Amino acid sequence: MEQNFFPEHKYITRAYIFIIFMMTLTGFGQMPIFKRYYIADIPGLGWLAEFYLTHYIHYIGAILLFAIFAYCTAGYFLVGRHTFRLTGPAYVRIILLSAITLTGIFRVLKNLPDMVFSPNFTMFIDISHMVFVMIFLLAAAVFLFMKTGWLMPK
Ligand code: HEM
């Protein structure tokens, strides 16, 4: 298990992985693929075809992700950075998660009734959220395979 300065990092890691899993599932739930490919017909998975349900779970997941980001960032700058430094893969994850979050925020703004973006900007935001998600998931799989964590003792 990766060395860490958070006594409770085991629970934070599990919560983070669960939230990323749910964000991916509900994110793809925003597109009608689960119904189209009969995945939502599997008993217990019908909710994946409920647009508004997956939509609101995606929003709640985003809020929980912000909370984990804020907690870990504060913990690292207040405590961790004295004994640990971030690994290269950690910077890659941070950059990709920041890009996903920024494009996600713009997608939320786009959904607000009186917020109007140009068609090109809307398409750019939609596609870039998706592209950053795919790069992030690929990178996460590679780092998991290489067993590279976020922190390295100084
Ligand atoms: C790692 C975290 C995340 C993953 C894996 C993820 C994944 C996705 C995916 C696959 C889609 C569907 C893309 C499409 O319709 O083209 C989506 C849509 C969306 N995501 Fe995310 N997302 C993440 C984080 C966020 C965050 C942090 C926010 C908000 C701040 C956000 C807000 C949205 C919104 C508003 C939509 C569009 C929903 C609609 O169709 O109106 N996402 N996300």
Side-chain angles (χ1 to χ4, degrees), residues 20 23-24 27 30-31 55 58 100 104-105 107 111 129 133:
I20 295 289
M23 292 302 278
T24 309
Q30 305 299 287
M31 305 185 288
H55 194 68
H58 202 69
I100 291 171
I105 290 169
R107 290 207 70 164
N111 287 341
H129 190 65
V133 162

Side-chain angles (χ1 to χ4, degrees), residues 16 19-32 51 55 58-59 61-63 65-66 69 96-97 100-111 125-127 129-134 136-137:
Y16 166 76
I19 293 169
I20 295 289
F21 173 73
M22 288 305 287
M23 292 302 278
T24 309
L25 204 58
T26 55
F28 284 107
Q30 305 299 287
M31 305 185 288
F51 176 83
H55 194 68
H58 202 69
Y59 278 26
I63 296 164
L65 213 50
F66 293 162
F69 291 166
L96 289 171
L97 283 169
I100 291 171
T101 302
L102 189 64
T103 51
I105 290 169
F106 273 105
R107 290 207 70 164
V108 172
L109 293 175
K110 182 198 78 168
N111 287 341
I125 289 294
D126 291 1
I127 293 174
H129 190 65
M130 189 62 174
V131 169
F132 286 130
V133 162
M134 299 315 279
F136 170 76
L137 294 175

Side-chain angles (χ1 to χ4, degrees), residues 48-85:
L48 286 171
E50 304 293 332
F51 176 83
Y52 283 104
L53 181 58
T54 53
H55 194 68
Y56 290 123
I57 295 174
H58 202 69
Y59 278 26
I60 294 165
I63 296 164
L64 293 174
L65 213 50
F66 293 162
I68 287 186
F69 291 166
Y71 187 74
C72 293
T73 308
Y76 179 74
F77 282 102
L78 295 173
V79 182
R81 68 191 169 87
H82 305 301
T83 38
F84 290 91
R85 64 179 179 79

